[in-house]
Amino acid sequence: MRSLMATNPEKTHIPRLPAGYVPRRRLDRDWPGWRTKQLVLVTAGAGFGKTSFLAANAREGGRRCSWLSLDEGDVDLAVLGAHLREALDAGSPRADLERDPRDPEFPRRLLAETAASLRDGEERLLVLDDAHLIRDSAPVLRFLDGLIRYLPAGNTLILSSREPLEVATLKTRCQGGVAELTAHELEFRPEEAADLFAHRFPGARLERQQARRLVAQTEGWASGIEIFLQLLDGSGADAVARALDRMGRAGTGWFEYFAEEVVGRLDLSMRDFLVRTSLLTELQPEICDALLGTRDSRARLEELARRNLFTVATGGASGGYRYHHLFRSFLRDRLPRVLDEKARRSLLRRAARLFARQGAWAEAAEVYAEAGYVG
């Protein structure tokens, strides 16, 4: 457990903001009111900007924030507990908790320890991001239910998820202790799309009608607007009109259509880098170099993040990155078209060995199986 945490220090760091992030003033105005709430539920699908919005306000809200980015391993209550202790700076795990997490008293002790950590320090926000990844874990949901019930006064728990979580919040709701932010609130409005356009293209302006059309065609989806901005071949009204027309003709496949064009603008070596590193869930420059046998991964990742090419710095001291999950899926689908079967299996096997070396056994097993090494 400790070795797994050591390979993922970004889990407990507030993520860095994308280079082109623009404050959402309409939403930012509601942030101070959340300080009086016990629970904040942020629920929207992928690519709606949940993490960026929370990270921006967590940094500037004038209140201490403890952050935990959840992953599939946190379905185990003992693993979640260890990561929570790390996030809350609660010190080393106590021996009785670490020795036998299967003890029937373990959940109660973990809840008491977590509540005590929040009670002893200054008032704070506790953000659990990507909470949909633990939605099928009954022990973890029971723990969260208890944490909501016994959260010390002055603290706020924020659960950010792609799907609603089955936590018993009726009493908290009745007491006015819950705030909710949904996909509808997170959808970009035309004026916000225009602000983003002006930030990306200083001195240019997105016409009101075009802003309305862009929002209508993307349904205000943040990632969709980002794709549109990446595709533009200019900032004038004619260039915007051409891109909007292409988006309309692409129909339901517009994400793949635009991603294909964005990737197509890159040089061959960068396209090759993107496709091959899409095997990795976390993009550490040293790991990318080990996978590819190169020495320039850090510079490439920095360039991709700087250009907002669906690459996000995860924060923390290790300087890691990740691809937007839809972009990563798009790249993974391209892999068989870029490499022949022998080269693909060799790359998969190398990635699996790197996962195993990091202690990421689930990812290693999955990639080994994809490479045909089921045993």
Side-chain angles (χ1 to χ4, degrees):
M1 185 165 60
R2 284 175 172 169
S3 63
L4 179 61
M5 285 191 294
T7 62
N8 292 279
E10 291 82 8
K11 283 176 64 70
T12 56
H13 287 83
I14 300 174
R16 286 187 285 177
L17 295 177
Y21 181 77
V22 174
R24 307 286 301 277
R25 291 183 294 243
R26 170 177 56 88
L27 301 176
D28 293 341
R29 284 193 291 267
D30 293 332
W31 182 263
W34 290 0
R35 299 179 61 148
T36 65
K37 303 297 183 181
Q38 186 175 359
L39 174 66
V40 178
L41 299 171
V42 182
T43 309
F48 273 89
K50 302 184 295 296
T51 298
S52 294
F53 170 71
L54 291 173
N57 282 280
R59 278 191 167 85
E60 301 178 6
R63 190 178 185 188
R64 186 179 178 188
C65 177
S66 295
W67 186 287
L68 178 56
S69 298
L70 299 172
D71 57 34
E72 291 83 353
D74 292 305
V75 297
D76 185 326
L77 185 58
V79 174
L80 174 66
H83 290 149
L84 267 176
R85 284 189 286 268
E86 179 107 344
L88 294 171
D89 300 319
S92 300
R94 293 191 310 198
D96 57 344
L97 288 174
E98 190 178 62
R99 184 172 60 249
D100 191 6
R102 294 168 297 182
D103 186 329
E105 289 297 302
F106 176 80
R108 183 185 64 79
R109 293 175 183 174
L110 178 60
L111 177 60
E113 181 190 79
T114 304
S117 297
L118 290 166
R119 188 179 298 111
D120 289 346
E122 57 188 295
E123 296 178 357
R124 75 172 91 191
L125 304 170
L126 173 58
V127 180
L128 302 185
D129 196 21
D130 287 334
H132 55 278
L133 295 174
I134 50 88
R135 68 185 301 272
D136 294 324
S137 174
V140 170
L141 291 180
R142 284 195 296 269
F143 169 79
L144 290 178
D145 181 26
L147 185 59
I148 293 166
R149 292 173 183 270
Y150 301 110
L151 193 72
N155 292 277
T156 300
L157 174 63
I158 299 179
L159 297 177
S160 177
S161 174
R162 294 180 192 171
E163 304 175 45
L165 296 176
E166 296 298 328
V167 289
T169 60
L170 180 59
K171 180 179 179 181
T172 311
R173 290 177 187 275
C174 292
Q175 295 173 341
V178 179
E180 295 188 70
L181 186 64
T182 66
H184 177 68
E185 283 85 31
L186 284 165
E187 289 173 1
F188 269 71
R189 308 299 193 253
E191 60 274 12
E192 293 171 329
D195 287 344
L196 185 59
F197 182 89
H199 179 80
R200 190 66 55 84
F201 301 103
R205 184 176 64 87
L206 185 63
E207 295 180 358
R208 181 178 301 178
Q209 187 59 37
Q210 290 182 327
R212 289 175 179 170
R213 185 180 170 191
L214 172 60
V215 168
Q217 291 187 199
T218 60
E219 297 184 11
W221 185 48
S223 290
I225 295 173
E226 177 61 34
I227 291 168
F228 171 82
L229 293 175
Q230 292 291 341
L231 184 66
L232 283 172
D233 54 11
S235 58
D238 290 343
V240 172
R242 287 194 299 271
L244 286 169
D245 288 341
R246 290 198 296 273
M247 176 180 282
R249 291 195 299 271
T252 58
W254 61 271
F255 177 84
E256 290 79 6
Y257 177 87
F258 279 90
E260 189 81 49
E261 289 215 9
V262 168
V263 171
R265 291 184 174 190
L266 302 173
D267 63 59
L268 183 60
S269 64
M270 185 64 90
R271 295 203 299 267
D272 186 69
F273 176 86
L274 284 168
V275 172
R276 291 172 185 263
T277 55
S278 68
L279 292 173
L280 303 173
T281 51
E282 296 284 340
L283 300 166
Q284 299 294 337
E286 296 78 10
I287 301 299
C288 293
D289 280 342
L291 176 66
L292 304 178
T294 60
R295 297 182 179 180
D296 61 354
S297 294
R298 183 177 300 279
R300 289 186 180 277
L301 290 167
E302 288 175 352
E303 179 184 352
L304 289 167
R306 185 176 64 253
R307 295 174 60 184
N308 295 305
L309 291 173
F310 310 113
T311 306
V312 180
T314 55
S318 61
Y321 297 83
R322 66 173 178 82
Y323 296 136
H324 185 283
H325 83 283
L326 288 175
F327 189 52
R328 180 172 177 248
S329 296
F330 164 79
L331 294 171
R332 288 294 307 270
D333 289 341
R334 291 172 61 95
L335 190 62
R337 290 182 277 158
V338 173
L339 300 177
D340 62 32
E341 184 61 18
K342 182 179 179 180
R344 188 182 72 87
R345 287 170 61 119
S346 176
L347 184 68
L348 288 165
R349 189 167 63 249
R350 200 177 313 143
R353 286 199 296 266
L354 289 171
F355 280 130
R357 194 181 305 164
Q358 292 179 282
W361 302 110
E363 291 89 343
E366 179 181 349
V367 177
Y368 267 127
E370 186 178 348
Y373 297 92
V374 179

